[in-house]
Amino acid sequence: DTGVSQDPRHKITKRGQNVTFRCDPISEHNRLYWYRQTLGQGPEFLTYFQNEAQLEKSRLLSDRFSAERPKGSFSTLEIQRTEQGDSAMYLCASSLAPGAGNQETQYFGPGTRLLVL
Amino acid sequence: GQQVMQIPQYQHVQEGEDFTTYCNSSTTLSNIQWYKQRPGGHPVFLIQLVKSGEVKKQKRLTFQFGEAKKNSSLHITATQTTDVGTYFCAGQPRYSSASKIIFGSGTRLSIRP
């Protein structure tokens, strides 16, 4: 058990609907990442936070996607007006930012599997 | 753009045989990480390599980081059925301002008992 939790684990929605996913990182971790993984591919970076600040978003990320981490703890990822191409596993990972003697290691949650009909 | 390529895509071996997966980056990396993902599961961190030419071992697993810090390999000696899964390398580009890591497409290992 890595300690990162995600909710829900599965989501089925109709095209055009909005969905929101939640990630609870390991409590002492200050970085939080969102990835998307499709079948047969490695996880693809979407965005990441350090504390409550969103420091980078992938250029591939449509403006229908938005992520927040309001208090620097849990994070939400919202997809508006879902499309069939959004069907994927959405993974969250958390880590401690690298520092003196510390190399960053990302720990993944179980993911939320989204199916858009 | 920055890419991390992994070969082979699939490997099917007899239990007890060795297995190797190779990872190549289009750019120099600060470090490389290896993850294992079981079917239906999520990526689980295995190891991180930082130094040029570094070799690390975990029981039957041997990880190498190339001298130029652009390639890496994972070798499993005498595979067991518990080794089944997809192995991903993930590199952090050296000159990237971002903290993101770029995953390869993975090598899926299956084993004949």
Side-chain angles (χ1 to χ4, degrees):
Chain A
D1 184 7
T2 64
V4 179
S5 61
Q6 290 186 247
D7 183 70
R9 296 291 303 276
H10 303 272
K11 179 71 176 178
I12 301 174
T13 191
K14 293 182 179 178
R15 188 176 54 187
Q17 297 294 306
N18 299 342
V19 294
T20 300
F21 309 141
R22 176 180 170 123
C23 171
D24 286 89
I26 294 172
S27 58
E28 61 268 28
H29 284 180
N30 52 5
R31 285 189 173 175
L32 187 149
Y33 297 78
W34 286 99
Y35 292 86
R36 176 172 58 194
Q37 186 177 26
T38 54
L39 200 61
Q41 298 297 316
E44 175 189 25
F45 171 83
L46 294 179
T47 189
Y48 92 99
F49 294 83
Q50 180 152 325
N51 300 314
E52 65 275 6
Q54 188 172 16
L55 296 186
E56 186 173 352
K57 290 173 63 173
S58 168
R59 294 173 195 168
L60 303 175
L61 202 61
S62 159
D63 57 8
R64 296 183 296 106
F65 288 69
S66 62
E68 294 183 342
R69 195 184 183 198
K71 298 181 180 179
S73 56
F74 74 92
S75 175
T76 58
L77 176 69
E78 181 182 17
I79 309 174
Q80 295 181 326
R81 305 181 303 282
T82 52
E83 301 172 358
Q84 288 182 326
D86 297 332
S87 296
M89 173 78 89
Y90 289 84
L91 292 162
C92 173
S94 72
S95 69
L96 269 175
N102 168 51
Q103 294 174 358
E104 183 178 12
T105 300
Q106 295 184 26
Y107 295 90
F108 282 81
T112 295
R113 189 173 295 280
L114 173 66
L115 177 61
V116 182
L117 301 176
Chain B
Q2 296 155 338
Q3 287 187 313
V4 175
M5 291 149 287
Q6 218 174 323
I7 56 170
Q9 190 174 4
Y10 302 99
Q11 188 84 53
H12 187 57
V13 302
Q14 180 76 41
E15 186 176 14
E17 290 181 342
D18 293 354
F19 160 77
T20 304
T21 172
Y22 300 92
C23 183
N24 287 284
S25 170
S26 59
T27 59
T28 304
L29 302 171
S30 292
N31 62 71
I32 195 152
Q33 300 165 32
W34 285 91
Y35 292 80
K36 177 183 179 182
Q37 186 171 21
R38 293 183 183 275
H42 58 277
V44 175
F45 175 81
L46 294 177
I47 207 160
Q48 181 173 187
L49 304 171
V50 179
K51 298 177 183 176
S52 170
E54 188 170 14
V55 178
K56 286 189 176 180
K57 292 190 175 184
Q58 288 180 349
K59 298 182 180 178
R60 295 178 293 104
L61 277 62
T62 302
F63 304 85
Q64 291 187 312
F65 199 10
E67 294 289 341
K69 301 184 78 172
K70 294 182 74 174
N71 56 68
S72 182
S73 65
L74 158 59
H75 180 81
I76 303 178
T77 304
T79 54
Q80 300 175 359
T81 55
T82 53
D83 295 326
V84 164
T86 301
Y87 292 85
F88 292 99
C89 62
Q92 183 173 16
R94 182 173 182 178
Y95 300 112
S96 170
S97 60
S99 185
K100 67 183 182 185
I101 55 176
I102 301 173
F103 280 80
S105 55
T107 296
R108 183 174 174 181
L109 173 64
S110 58
I111 297 176
R112 297 188 296 273

